[in-house]
Amino acid sequence: MTAGRWLLWLVLALPGAWMLGPWGFTPDAYGYGHAIADSGDWAAWLLMATLAVTPVRLLFKRARWTAWLARRRRDLGVASFAYAAGHTAVYLWKKGSLAQVVAELSDTYLVAGWLALALFLPLAITSNDASMRALKRKWKTLHRLVYPAAILTFLHWIWSAFDPTTAWIHAGVLAAIETARIVLQRRGKPRRG
């Protein structure tokens, strides 16, 4: 791993350290509510950053930094999954028993969250060079699961929020990112005459 990649991972880990510190040292002040919200926020923000790489690369084709960003897209995606896994771990810790987790599976927002996590798991596991070589063309097909997983992530956020305004704003940003990606990809395709 290059020094630049180590630095990127250090930066990506900082929000997690910021969450664990206050929760460990001042659990009464920070607590479960902050830990679950902050880990979910970072998972969603990094997911949006991951999905924004393609439209940014298509928009600024000649810029060198977009090539670096494209090479680091998998790192952003894995970091997003790590925060989502942390979000899930905090939830499971709070519930304390499998029976309580199963009892809550009828809640729509939890079903959306579990389905999103299930879709993200194979993406995180295969976000490495060895998997890309082994899966070849199937790798790209598999990683298209990020789109339904993103929709489920934002539905989970909207349906679970006390005030869903912020979640709706972020869902709008995600929709803008995806619209830009589709438009820019279609514009870049050669026309058949």
Side-chain angles (χ1 to χ4, degrees):
M1 196 183 287
T2 64
R5 198 167 178 196
W6 277 109
L7 180 60
L8 173 64
W9 273 102
L10 177 65
V11 169
L12 292 171
L14 287 176
W18 174 80
M19 285 178 246
L20 288 174
W23 198 17
F25 293 113
T26 57
D28 293 334
Y30 188 72
Y32 169 78
H34 286 98
I36 198 82
D38 291 345
S39 57
D41 287 350
W42 277 101
W45 294 336
L46 286 166
L47 173 59
M48 286 194 300
T50 304
L51 292 172
V53 170
T54 298
V56 166
R57 189 173 49 86
L58 291 169
L59 199 57
F60 302 100
K61 288 181 181 178
R62 296 173 194 252
R64 282 183 169 176
W65 57 271
T66 61
W68 178 88
L69 196 59
R71 287 192 306 272
R72 299 284 68 91
R73 177 174 37 203
R74 285 182 287 157
D75 295 301
L76 294 172
V78 171
S80 173
F81 177 78
Y83 283 102
H87 180 74
T88 306
V90 170
Y91 166 77
L92 293 172
W93 169 83
K94 177 68 173 175
K95 295 306 164 187
S97 74
L98 182 60
Q100 195 165 357
V101 171
V102 171
E104 291 184 348
L105 280 179
S106 60
D107 292 339
T108 310
Y109 78 95
L110 288 172
V111 172
W114 284 114
L115 288 173
L117 189 71
L119 291 177
F120 280 126
L121 183 60
L123 305 186
I125 291 170
T126 59
S127 285
N128 55 69
D129 293 339
S131 293
M132 285 183 81
R133 284 191 298 271
L135 293 170
K136 297 179 181 154
R137 287 185 177 181
K138 291 177 183 175
W139 187 90
K140 196 168 188 178
T141 302
L142 173 66
H143 279 255
R144 287 192 180 118
L145 287 176
V146 72
Y147 302 113
I151 292 167
L152 287 165
T153 297
F154 281 85
L155 288 174
H156 169 72
W157 190 2
I158 290 164
W159 292 336
S160 65
F162 291 113
D163 176 10
T165 305
T166 302
W168 276 112
I169 291 168
H170 282 81
V173 171
L174 179 67
I177 289 168
E178 285 310 294
T179 301
R181 178 185 65 82
I182 291 165
V183 167
L184 290 166
Q185 282 179 332
R186 285 185 180 168
R187 190 181 295 170
K189 284 184 181 177
R191 292 183 183 175
R192 293 179 184 176

